[in-house]
Amino acid sequence: MKVLALMEPNKVQWIEKEKPTAGPYDAILRPIAIAPCSSDVHTAFEGGAAKPAGFVLGHEAIGEIVEVGELVRDFKIGDKVVVPAGTPDWRARGIQEHNFKHPEGPFSSFMLSGSRDGVFAEFFMVNDADNNLAILPEDVSIDDALMTVDMVTTGFTGAELADIKFGDIVCVIGIGPVGLMAIAGAKLRGAARIFAVGTRPDCVALAKQYGATDIISYKEGNIAKQVLELTNGRGTDATIIAGGNAETFALAIAMTRFGGGNIANINYFTGTEYLPIPAAAYGLGMSGKTIRGDLCDGGRVRIERLLDMIRYGRIQPGKMVTHRFYGFNKIEEAFYVMRDKPKDLIKPVVYIDWSKEK
Ligand code: NAD
Ligand code: ZN
């Protein structure tokens, strides 16, 4: 089968690879819509986690099932399904310790394009199909559904890690698709005021639609200082990091209130050996601020719940799709668009109609 693979850092190309096989609990899928992710770009071009030569990228997909293992109960060939970016092995020991993201070691729930070939392929395998796939509802669009698999679940994970409460003052740093969904999540959890840090006009417009009350530009100086001024020196109750570099991490800590403030990181930091904690802003170690950072929630139930939120009008994540491509071979072009980030890009999607593919 044909796949788009990472050969070495900075070198992505089409190659032929063996079609994957399904174990008793697994399914083999053909992609019918995929989206490249900033994380694929970090991995391929920005010094992210090392991968073996010929490793298939991509972890955001809607697919059609073409094969199921003999112990799969709830899915059959021909089903159209939404595939979460996080597909833990739900039989792993760590699951019983409620460790859903790293149950068998660091990043072990991040299988597709993490520890195993991803979805930029004619076929891909999803482990533990019954627990990791969700049926694509007829009344949910491909765009909306595809955004749940990583962008919505990750942004919402940010809002959950930040433990946002009614009336909170929140800052979301970085308003690409992940940050935009963190804003939507913060609003749904009851935030009163939401600062959004970003500059691109299309992202700013959508940030306001999703719930941002104030826009701050990191190009106009220290964002922690700006937030502290706008909050009379108090700072935020919760700060969610969804973009930026190591310095951004320090600024997030600096803008968050002493005594109970929460810092939630969902950003993928590359190019830094350490993440800085500013001693004074962290109360010389005694600030009462909590720092959390994690992978997105994965699995079937998470996705089914997010799909319900779309069906009942709570979120409209499909609005983030700005660039559309048609045909399997367009995955490469879409991936480069994601890397090069034209000013009007929020999220690209590739739609694949196998009846029209040669
Ligand atoms: P994106 O690149 O589209 O958005 C990041 C935004 O941050 C951009 O708009 C950029 O202009 C902005 N930015 C850059 N420097 C900044 C700075 N100094 N201060 C403030 N903003 C700055 O990326 P995305 O798709 O929204 O993803 C955001 C991050 O989340 C990426 O690092 C991605 O790899 C990561 N991610 C994590 C998970 C997870 O499970 N935790 C899942 C998906 C994506
Ligand atoms: Zn991703």
Side-chain angles (χ1 to χ4, degrees):
M1 65 170 184
K2 192 172 162 186
V3 303
L4 188 65
L6 181 65
M7 306 312 290
E8 57 187 80
N10 304 313
K11 189 176 173 201
V12 170
Q13 74 182 52
W14 291 105
I15 59 170
E16 284 291 323
K17 227 174 161 169
E18 288 275 302
K19 190 179 160 190
T21 52
Y25 295 103
D26 308 331
I28 305 292
L29 276 70
R30 211 146 64 153
I32 51 182
I34 66 93
C37 175
S38 298
S39 302
D40 297 311
V41 175
H42 293 319
T43 301
F45 303 114
E46 294 171 359
K51 302 292 175 201
F55 189 77
V56 183
L57 296 163
H59 52 264
E60 299 185 13
I62 309 279
E64 181 175 340
I65 295 179
V66 295
E67 192 184 322
V68 287
E70 75 246 30
L71 296 179
V72 173
R73 288 174 315 211
D74 297 346
F75 297 90
K76 59 182 188 315
I77 291 171
D79 284 347
K80 291 199 166 82
V81 290
V82 187
V83 186
T87 60
D89 173 0
W90 293 94
R91 296 160 61 84
R93 182 186 178 281
I95 296 294
Q96 292 186 28
E97 292 168 333
H98 293 206
N99 179 357
F100 304 119
K101 303 175 195 176
H102 314 273
E104 296 165 284
F107 294 93
S108 52
S109 68
F110 185 43
M111 295 209 196
L112 287 166
S113 80
S115 58
R116 181 180 349 107
D117 279 343
V119 304
F120 295 170
E122 285 182 278
F123 299 95
F124 60 95
M125 191 269 267
V126 177
N127 58 292
D128 203 347
D130 283 326
N131 294 310
N132 283 324
L133 294 176
I135 291 287
L136 172 68
E138 277 178 13
D139 52 355
V140 174
S141 74
I142 293 266
D143 288 357
D144 277 330
L146 185 53
M147 291 304 108
T148 64
V149 306
D150 194 357
M151 301 299 96
V152 185
T153 184
T154 303
F156 280 22
T157 295
E160 288 164 330
L161 293 173
D163 194 19
I164 292 169
K165 300 177 190 70
F166 293 127
D168 271 0
I169 297 173
V170 176
C171 180
V172 176
I173 307 176
I175 50 171
V178 169
L180 288 170
M181 287 300 100
I183 291 170
K187 182 183 173 190
L188 283 160
R189 288 180 67 109
R193 190 176 187 184
I194 304 176
F195 297 101
V197 180
T199 53
R200 288 187 289 161
D202 293 346
C203 295
V204 166
L206 212 43
K208 288 181 185 162
Q209 278 190 43
Y210 285 140
T213 54
D214 302 69
I215 304 294
I216 289 177
S217 168
Y218 60 97
K219 293 182 178 157
E220 280 166 22
N222 184 308
I223 56 171
K225 224 170 134 212
Q226 294 185 58
V227 169
L228 286 165
E229 270 166 22
L230 289 162
T231 55
N232 301 318
R234 181 175 170 276
T236 64
D237 300 295
T239 305
I240 303 173
I241 310 166
N245 49 30
E247 193 204 346
T248 314
F249 191 79
L251 291 169
I253 294 166
M255 73 171 68
T256 307
R257 78 166 154 92
F258 275 69
N262 289 308
I263 299 103
N265 180 72
I266 41 179
N267 194 44
Y268 175 161
F269 289 102
T270 56
T272 182
E273 195 176 346
Y274 296 102
L275 292 172
I277 295 180
Y282 198 56
L284 307 175
M286 300 171 281
S287 66
K289 304 184 189 188
T290 301
I291 304 172
R292 294 197 189 89
D294 215 335
L295 279 172
C296 61
D297 271 37
R300 171 180 178 169
V301 171
R302 174 69 157 190
I303 295 299
E304 287 177 349
R305 285 171 164 257
L306 297 178
L307 291 169
D308 269 352
M309 293 183 78
I310 292 166
R311 298 174 77 188
Y312 297 105
R314 305 293 185 202
I315 45 172
Q316 291 91 32
K319 286 184 186 173
M320 298 190 296
V321 179
T322 52
H323 289 57
R324 295 181 166 79
F325 298 85
Y326 298 87
F328 182 71
N329 290 329
K330 294 285 184 176
I331 293 176
E332 186 176 18
E333 192 183 336
F335 186 44
Y336 289 134
V337 164
M338 194 65 187
R339 178 191 65 181
D340 300 339
K341 298 223 160 85
K343 237 185 158 29
D344 59 345
L345 176 84
I346 302 180
K347 196 76 188 174
V349 169
V350 183
Y351 310 88
I352 304 158
D353 178 348
W354 288 100
S355 70
K356 292 189 183 144
E357 295 284 333
K358 277 195 246 91

